Amino acid sequence: MRTIGLSLLAVSGSIIAAPIALPASIVTIAGYVAVAGGVLSAVSQVTVDDQAKKESQKEVEIH
């Protein structure tokens, strides 16, 4: 999921920074996609860290 979010950020960033004139609607949509990609990446990273923490706590409890 994090990779998908980062990919969305990269593509939308390229569209926003394009050296050619693009319609305003395309740039606006790219902005929304950038926000969605950032949120997706952040949420994905939080869940990965939380799961790793829980697994390490289980290992400590077992030993």
Side-chain angles (χ1 to χ4, degrees):
M1 293 295 281
R2 186 182 69 166
T3 306
I4 294 170
L6 293 174
S7 298
L8 289 173
L9 279 169
V11 170
S12 62
S14 298
I15 292 172
I16 291 170
I20 58 172
L22 294 171
S25 60
I26 301 256
V27 175
T28 302
I29 291 171
Y32 289 131
V33 171
V35 170
V39 169
L40 184 62
S41 296
V43 169
S44 177
Q45 188 63 38
V46 167
T47 58
V48 168
D49 288 344
D50 189 40
Q51 289 175 356
K53 185 177 178 181
K54 286 180 182 178
E55 289 176 6
S56 67
Q57 287 176 348
K58 287 180 184 178
E59 290 176 8
V60 170
E61 290 174 2
I62 292 173
H63 296 293

